[in-house]
Structure formats: C-alpha cells, structure tokens
C-alpha cells in the first residue's frame, strides 16, 4: 500500500511538472509573439521590395534593349554587329527585322509585366503575322528561338506564335482574326 501511495504521488509530481513546463512554454510563446509577428512583416516587406526591384530592373533592361536596337537601326555599321543572318539580308531588311524584334520584344515585355494576358498576346501575334515583313522576320529568327530554354515564357510564346503562323497559312478564310484558338489562362 505504501508503494501505491508513492507511485501516485510521483505521477502527480510528474504531471505538475509537465503542466508547469507547458505553461512556461505558453508564456514564452506569448512573449515572443509580437517579435515573430514583426519579423514576418519585415520578411514580407523585403520580399515586396525585391519584387519591385526586379520589375524596375526589367523595365531598365527593356529600355536599354530599345536604345541598342535604335542605334543599330540608325547606323548600318552598328547593325552589322547584330547581323545574325550570315549576310543574307540587305541592310534595309536588317533594319526592318531589328524593328520587328523591338515590336515583338515590347509585347513580350508587356506580357511578362502582367500588362497583357496570354490571350491578348495571341491577338497581337495574330495581327502582326498579317504583315509580310513580320512573317519574314519570324521565319528568319526561327533558329534563334530554337536556342531558348523550353520552359521559359519566351519559348512558350514563340511556339504559340509558330503554331498560329502555320494555322494562318493553312486557313482558307479571309477573316484572319478568327483563325486559331486563343489560349486560356
């Protein structure tokens, strides 16, 4: 009987110690909650700032791209640096291709920034492919797009435009604006 009393007291002491430990942990957590909340808010702020900086860097890079293309379009000697066609296009045609690249890259940038949906990009491409010079540019740059990483936005949109071009060429309708199935978001 004395053993049973002792066992019960030991169990009660262990339970009391456990309750005290749990209460202490709860108090410690309650005291640290404001610090954890502040830390979480700071991390969210830093993530937003990093995203904002990425958007700013992206816009700056797009502006630099335009400036470089503009210089090449204005100066045939600079355009030679960007001649990726093995000298098979005239300087005039190359300037047109550079401008087509600038127009396409601008739409690509709009899409990446979220200012244009995939469906709107599809509509842009469908209208641009009505222009024979843009189609010629698109064909001439097919090897360039083949070097893109398959999982990139640019590669995916390029494949979408490639497919659309095939559909437009195979279509027997004069109403080009109904050719192709716009992608769903």
């Amino acid at each position: 009987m004395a053993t049973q009393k002792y066992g019960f007291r030991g169990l009660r002491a262990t339970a009391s110690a456990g309750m005290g430990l749990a209460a202490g942990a709860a108090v410690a957590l309650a005291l640290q909650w404001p610090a954890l909340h502040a830390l979480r808010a700071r991390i969210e702020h830093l993530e937003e700032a990093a995203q904002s900086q990425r958007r700013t860097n992206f816009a700056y890079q797009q502006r630099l791209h335009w400036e470089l293309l503009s210089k090449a379009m204005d100066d045939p000697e600079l355009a030679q640096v960007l001649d990726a066609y093995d000298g098979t296009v005239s300087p005039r045609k190359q300037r047109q291709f550079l401008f087509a690249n600038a127009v396409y890259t601008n739409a690509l940038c709009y899409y990446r920034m979220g200012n244009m949906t995939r469906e709107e990009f599809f509509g842009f491409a469908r209208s641009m492919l009505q222009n024979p010079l843009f189609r010629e540019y698109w064909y001439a740059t097919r090897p360039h797009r083949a070097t893109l990483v398959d999982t990139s936005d640019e590669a995916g949109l390029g494949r979408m435009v490639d497919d659309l071009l095939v559909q437009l060429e195979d279509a027997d309708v004069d109403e080009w604006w109904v050719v192709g199935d716009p992608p769903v978001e």
Side-chain angles (χ1 to χ4, degrees), residues 46-114:
L46 289 172
E47 287 173 349
E48 289 171 8
Q51 182 65 22
S52 177
Q53 186 62 48
R54 279 192 291 276
R55 284 191 300 270
T56 299
N57 291 345
F58 185 70
Y60 178 75
Q61 191 279 328
Q62 289 303 122
R63 178 68 185 156
L64 182 59
H65 178 258
W66 170 249
E67 289 175 14
L68 291 170
L69 286 180
S70 293
K71 288 180 181 193
M73 285 184 276
D74 292 341
D75 186 340
E77 290 179 9
L78 293 179
Q80 288 175 352
V81 173
L82 297 177
D83 184 1
Y85 313 103
D86 298 324
T88 59
V89 298
S90 68
R92 179 175 183 254
K93 179 74 67 178
Q94 186 178 11
R95 282 192 304 278
Q96 291 170 332
F97 282 5
L98 291 172
F99 187 74
N101 175 268
V103 170
Y104 179 76
T105 302
N106 184 58
L108 183 62
C109 176
Y110 259 50
Y111 172 77
R112 286 179 173 164
M113 292 173 75

Side-chain angles (χ1 to χ4, degrees), residues 91-167:
R92 179 175 183 254
K93 179 74 67 178
Q94 186 178 11
R95 282 192 304 278
Q96 291 170 332
F97 282 5
L98 291 172
F99 187 74
N101 175 268
V103 170
Y104 179 76
T105 302
N106 184 58
L108 183 62
C109 176
Y110 259 50
Y111 172 77
R112 286 179 173 164
M113 292 173 75
N115 294 341
M116 179 185 287
T117 66
R118 195 170 179 88
E119 185 176 351
E120 290 169 330
F121 188 91
F122 182 85
F124 160 80
R126 187 168 39 194
S127 66
M128 287 306 299
L129 289 170
Q130 298 311 300
N131 183 302
L133 288 171
F134 188 85
R135 274 196 311 275
E136 189 177 353
Y137 156 76
W138 197 255
Y139 281 125
T141 56
R142 182 170 279 157
H144 308 157
R145 286 187 306 282
T147 65
L148 297 172
V149 176
D150 281 343
T151 57
S152 70
D153 280 341
E154 189 172 356
L157 292 172
R159 284 189 301 272
M160 182 180 74
V161 176
D162 287 339
D163 293 343
L164 178 58
L165 181 56
V166 169
Q167 292 174 31

Side-chain angles (χ1 to χ4, degrees), residues 24-35:
V27 168
L29 182 60
L31 291 174
Q32 294 203 4
W33 180 254

